[in-house]
Amino acid sequence: MDARSLRGLAHPLRLRILELLTLDGPDTATGLSRRLGENTGTISWHLRHLADHRFIEEETGRGTKRERWWRAVPVSRRLDTTDFRDDPDARGPLSIYVHELVQQHFNRVVTYLAEDWPPEWRDAGAIAQWHDLTLTPAQLAALNRELEEVIIRHRTTTPSGTHPEQAAASAPEPPALPVLIQLQSFPRTPRHEPPDPTDASPETPPKAPPEATPDTLPDAPSTPRTAPRTTPRTTP
């Protein structure tokens, strides 16, 4: 994603529209307006804006001149925040985009936890966190690449969740459903112990680290490649 496409997408309602079209498939301005609680004219304006930046496209052969169907363009995009470090005009859109993206991830987990899933689905997923890793930047980047490779490998399985050669011998399974996978991996600033007041010559306490700004955030994909696993349990 370049600065122009970032500015075209960095709007809360536009991001929500793109999310719905990506997750649930094509829809019309009227259908989206009902789901989002906005008037049709506003939704239509944002749809045209998304289409101008090629995030969505009209589904040809469907609908009428008055009722057009729109779908998300099936392409993977990657946003590298370092590309905008020296562009002050992009920092505002970048901040909006990253904030809304993280909010979408959070809302999906909250929605899942509020729903009543049957045991086989409730037990299949997890919300997990590992906090005992100490990695270099290169090691963290390698870890993310390996996790992405696992996700890509599972995209090649059959709808039942098994590889083709195993499908015939597998026992009947529940119907396959769309699955979200979210992953947040980032460094944590360690806590510094304050100086001991009984020390006769205390050292100067270290300065607090600067607050993270959008241009220091790790790469944020426009379409999440990973998501928290599903059952509310924490893995140490």
Side-chain angles (χ1 to χ4, degrees):
M1 292 176 61
D2 57 19
R4 180 180 179 275
S5 59
L6 175 64
R7 286 191 289 269
L9 185 59
H11 186 284
L13 185 54
R14 249 172 258 155
L15 283 163
R16 183 72 177 121
I17 291 171
L18 183 59
E19 178 188 36
L20 293 180
L21 293 179
T22 300
L23 295 181
D24 299 328
D27 206 342
T28 64
T30 302
L32 291 166
S33 68
R34 286 195 300 264
R35 298 166 70 184
L36 295 170
E38 298 283 346
N39 67 68
T40 305
T42 299
I43 296 295
S44 295
W45 188 86
H46 285 294
L47 284 168
R48 289 193 296 271
H49 206 83
L50 287 168
D52 288 342
H53 288 82
R54 299 184 180 180
F55 289 105
I56 66 172
E57 61 189 7
E58 186 176 0
E59 192 168 50
T60 57
R62 186 176 184 180
T64 64
K65 290 183 178 180
R66 295 187 59 185
E67 192 73 293
R68 304 164 75 183
W69 284 79
W70 299 93
R71 64 187 177 193
V73 174
V75 61
S76 177
R77 296 182 181 88
R78 184 177 182 84
L79 175 68
D80 187 344
T81 58
T82 59
D83 292 343
F84 309 101
R85 181 171 297 164
D86 299 323
D87 185 357
D89 294 335
R91 292 196 176 185
L94 180 62
S95 179
I96 292 173
Y97 174 81
V98 173
H99 177 273
E100 291 299 323
L101 187 70
V102 173
Q103 190 64 47
Q104 283 183 0
H105 293 183
F106 171 77
N107 289 339
R108 290 169 188 167
V109 176
V110 171
T111 298
Y112 163 75
L113 293 175
E115 294 172 336
D116 186 18
W117 288 92
E120 62 269 21
W121 282 109
R122 188 177 63 246
D123 297 339
I127 295 174
Q129 173 176 301
W130 295 266
H131 59 269
D132 55 350
L133 287 84
T134 303
L135 305 174
T136 65
Q139 289 172 327
L140 178 57
L143 171 64
N144 287 326
R145 285 193 299 269
E146 291 179 32
L147 291 170
E148 183 176 8
E149 290 170 1
V150 172
I151 302 302
I152 293 173
R153 187 173 74 246
H154 279 266
R155 283 177 175 165
T156 65
T157 60
T158 66
S160 66
T162 56
H163 288 280
E165 61 270 19
Q166 298 172 333
S170 297
E173 295 186 8
L177 294 177
V179 171
L180 288 172
I181 303 173
Q182 294 179 215
L183 171 69
Q184 295 87 34
S185 59
F186 47 86
R188 180 182 66 85
T189 302
R191 180 171 64 92
H192 295 286
E193 293 293 342
D196 188 346
T198 63
D199 193 337
S201 56
E203 296 180 357
T204 302
K207 293 181 180 179
E211 292 186 1
T213 57
D215 61 321
T216 64
L217 292 171
D219 297 350
S222 62
T223 302
R225 295 173 297 175
T226 52
R229 301 167 56 198
T230 43
T231 336
R233 66 173 181 259
T234 300
T235 303

